[in-house]
Amino acid sequence: AVIMFTGKANCPYYAKAELLADYLQTNLPNFRVHKIIQHPDKWEQWLHDICETNGWEHRQCPIIWRELLDRGGKGQLLGGLNDFLQYAQQYYGITSMMLYEEMLDIAEENLQAHLEIVKEDEETKSLIKPMQIWITSASVPVCYHLIPLLANGEVFGMTTEISIHLLDTDQFKEFLHSIVMEAEDMAFPLLHSISEHTRLDQAFIDADVIIVLDDVLVNLEVHSLENYIREVSEICQVYAPLIEKNAKSEVKVISSGKTFANLKATMLRIYGPSIRPENIIAIATSWESAAKAMLARKLNMNAAGVKDVIVWGNITGSNYIDLSRAKLYGYDCAIRGPPNFHRPLLNMIYDSEWIHSEFLSAQSTLSSRVSRCTAMLPAHAIATLLRYWYHGSPEEIISVGILSEGQFCIPEGITCSMPVRFQNGNWEVVTELEIDEKTQKVLRRLSHELVQEKLVALKEINEIHPYEAE
């Protein structure tokens, strides 16, 4: 058993018990001591909590108990100073004859030593600069699944501590608090802190990464498309100035969700012109993953071996799955090679009719699959893209919704999903990619949809805020 000693740092009775315990530990081979010193201001609350947890009745300093390591359950309460003196006399024939003046001197030394330790701990903590991650609409299931992926070290690195900030409205405050408590209970080594926020004026302070999970659920039988676009615009109009004001200058902003992912990225740029445009992106990884899984089932292989599937266009609207550069790694065929050996996917699917009749025409099927994935897949998609952004994807093409600068004849100024590579904390468009006439035709149609969506949003701005739009 271990004898636990806890008391106020400036308590003379704790000082007397502590010195007697130190003497016993030094001279008795099986006597072990563990000491917990509390600041005088925190002592009463700590004593109340420990007694309530264990069902004890004790209101004095110190409190001493035996921790029964080999039996489990709560410890055995010994009591205070007098109880411990009696315990030591009865079992070991040893007591303490320390005078009260000596007890006071040692108590003062204990207090000063405790204050120095606290100061050193605070200074050490101040040197730690965790990465600040903000998640909006944090009550959605995606956030719940995303937190463990961010905190396990695989996204930002095993030496990077993170602080997660959950932002939502007052009605979800209790739910956010439950998520915070559960994340703290999991004791992730790299999770420096996690907190909930419902005040917008505090949003995005010192943010390194902002993940926008806000969604507008569309039902055209209830409202027109223009009404939903206006709602998206209003959300971005609130967030963008706060990002400019409170976030770090190099903040990375990720637009995710089931609807209007591209438009959210576009409107955040419009309302937040000082945010680096290349640092605002929309995620297409969920579509990539669903398409890869469909192809892998056809080929009877692991979906992880399907690479370079490209998603063009409006991520949560009309898009096009391009297989022209898709590759297979680890595919079980007659020709084998090292782990980096790959085969063109189109060469391995001999049923070309399946590609045209089922896969490429399966837009509604894929859309249904992605929309039904309410948590795990979108969370994994966000974590995967962040890992690429911070650690690179040098050999793999990733589809991302980015601001078009005219690549592939896509009109400038819209957020369009296209192929990129991540390297050294940045991304670059895979401009060397050759696209055929059919793909160009599809891109013209998809671009037109994105342009019209943006024009509707700008029209709403002009009608609601004519002077700001000018």
Side-chain angles (χ1 to χ4, degrees):
V2 174
I3 306 296
M4 306 290 293
F5 285 78
T6 303
K8 291 185 289 185
N10 63 345
C11 175
Y13 303 104
Y14 172 80
K16 185 172 183 176
E18 177 192 29
L19 284 183
L20 177 58
D22 287 343
Y23 177 84
L24 294 173
Q25 181 169 250
T26 301
N27 292 279
L28 300 174
N30 296 320
F31 190 93
R32 289 182 291 162
V33 176
H34 183 72
K35 294 178 280 189
I36 305 174
I37 301 178
Q38 296 292 328
H39 190 280
D41 295 341
K42 299 180 179 179
W43 165 251
E44 292 296 336
Q45 185 62 50
W46 193 93
L47 179 62
H48 173 271
D49 292 344
I50 193 70
C51 289
E52 188 175 77
T53 300
N54 291 282
W56 295 335
E57 287 290 337
H58 189 85
R59 294 294 177 264
Q60 302 170 352
C61 177
I63 180 172
I64 304 167
W65 71 91
R66 294 176 69 231
E67 194 75 31
L68 306 177
L69 301 179
D70 58 338
R71 302 181 196 177
K74 67 181 183 180
Q76 178 184 355
L77 178 66
L78 297 180
L81 172 63
N82 291 334
D83 300 295
F84 179 61
L85 292 176
Q86 183 179 352
Y87 173 85
Q89 179 68 46
Q90 180 179 348
Y91 283 92
Y92 306 111
I94 299 172
T95 188
S96 172
M97 303 302 293
M98 183 185 295
L99 300 177
Y100 188 70
E101 289 75 13
E102 294 178 275
M103 293 161 57
L104 288 174
D105 291 341
I106 295 173
E108 180 62 28
E109 291 177 7
N110 281 345
L111 178 59
Q112 294 304 316
H114 178 71
L115 293 176
E116 288 178 9
I117 291 172
V118 170
K119 183 179 179 181
E120 288 176 3
D121 287 344
E122 289 176 350
E123 290 176 351
T124 301
K125 289 179 181 179
S126 69
L127 298 175
I128 299 173
K129 302 295 183 184
M131 180 174 289
Q132 305 293 324
I133 302 167
W134 284 78
I135 305 175
T136 72
S137 196
S139 61
V140 300
V142 176
C143 177
Y144 185 81
H145 287 262
L146 179 60
I147 290 171
L149 299 178
L150 297 177
N152 66 14
E154 293 183 7
V155 173
F156 301 107
M158 300 305 294
T159 59
T160 302
E161 293 195 11
I162 64 172
S163 288
I164 298 177
H165 304 267
L166 309 179
L167 178 65
D168 215 314
T169 57
D170 274 326
Q171 70 181 103
F172 297 108
K173 187 172 183 178
E174 289 300 319
F175 182 70
L176 295 185
H177 186 64
S178 300
I179 296 177
V180 167
M181 292 179 63
E182 188 170 352
E184 289 175 341
D185 290 344
M186 294 179 75
F188 293 104
L190 296 174
L191 184 58
H192 184 268
S193 64
I194 181 169
S195 55
E196 72 268 19
H197 303 266
T198 56
R199 289 179 53 185
L200 277 173
D201 60 324
Q202 297 178 348
F204 313 130
I205 291 176
D206 293 329
D208 293 288
V209 174
I210 298 172
I211 302 167
V212 180
L213 297 181
D214 298 71
D215 249 332
V216 175
L217 302 181
V218 178
N219 185 346
L220 296 179
E221 296 180 359
V222 178
H223 295 294
S224 68
L225 183 63
E226 288 76 10
N227 284 337
Y228 293 115
I229 289 176
R230 181 188 297 121
E231 191 175 339
V232 172
S233 181
E234 289 172 353
I235 292 170
C236 297
Q237 187 182 15
V238 172
Y239 287 163
L242 289 169
I243 295 172
E244 289 185 303
K245 177 184 176 183
N246 295 335
K248 293 178 181 174
S249 60
E250 298 296 313
V251 63
K252 292 176 169 61
V253 183
I254 292 177
S255 171
S256 184
K258 296 180 181 179
T259 58
F260 300 110
N262 294 54
L263 182 61
K264 281 185 290 186
T266 299
M267 300 313 292
L268 285 170
R269 291 190 189 96
I270 291 173
Y271 284 122
S274 69
I275 307 171
R276 291 184 62 185
E278 63 270 27
N279 279 6
I280 303 177
I281 64 175
I283 287 192
T285 316
S286 294
W287 280 88
E288 277 189 17
S289 298
K292 289 175 181 177
M294 190 173 180
L295 292 163
R297 282 192 295 273
K298 176 67 175 177
L299 292 162
N300 193 29
M301 64 175 293
N302 191 317
V306 184
K307 306 288 185 182
D308 297 352
V309 172
I310 300 171
V311 179
W312 296 94
N314 192 352
I315 296 165
T316 50
S318 298
N319 57 51
Y320 171 62
I321 309 297
D322 182 1
L323 304 181
S324 63
R325 294 287 293 268
K327 302 179 181 67
L328 302 179
Y329 291 80
Y331 181 56
D332 187 13
C333 61
I335 303 175
R336 297 176 179 271
N340 61 348
F341 175 76
H342 61 266
R343 302 281 290 167
L345 180 143
L346 293 178
N347 289 357
M348 297 295 101
I349 297 182
Y350 300 106
D351 187 358
S352 59
E353 184 63 28
W354 177 85
I355 295 176
H356 295 286
S357 64
E358 292 189 39
F359 181 80
L360 293 180
S361 63
Q363 180 80 16
S364 59
T365 304
L366 283 174
S367 179
S368 176
R369 287 182 60 83
V370 174
S371 64
R372 287 201 306 268
C373 297
T374 59
M376 280 193 294
L377 179 59
H380 180 265
I382 295 168
T384 300
L385 186 127
L386 277 170
R387 187 176 73 249
Y388 288 143
W389 208 342
Y390 279 86
H391 301 290
S393 63
E395 300 301 327
E396 187 171 356
I397 295 175
I398 309 298
S399 302
V400 176
I402 60 170
L403 180 65
S404 171
E405 296 180 350
Q407 303 96 331
F408 308 109
C409 297
I410 297 171
E412 296 183 22
I414 59 173
T415 299
C416 183
S417 180
M418 60 182 78
V420 307
R421 288 192 185 94
F422 288 93
Q423 195 166 9
N424 300 322
N426 299 301
W427 52 260
E428 61 178 7
V429 180
V430 187
T431 52
E432 71 271 17
L433 183 68
E434 294 182 5
I435 55 177
D436 56 25
E437 186 176 340
K438 176 186 176 182
T439 303
Q440 288 178 348
K441 183 178 180 181
V442 172
L443 286 181
R444 284 194 293 270
R445 175 175 57 82
L446 299 178
S447 299
H448 177 74
E449 177 184 294
L450 290 167
V451 170
Q452 292 304 308
E453 197 174 74
K454 179 182 176 181
L455 289 175
V456 171
L458 291 174
K459 178 183 176 183
E460 298 297 332
I461 296 174
N462 279 315
E463 292 178 352
I464 300 172
H465 306 284
Y467 298 107
E468 289 184 16
E470 291 176 2

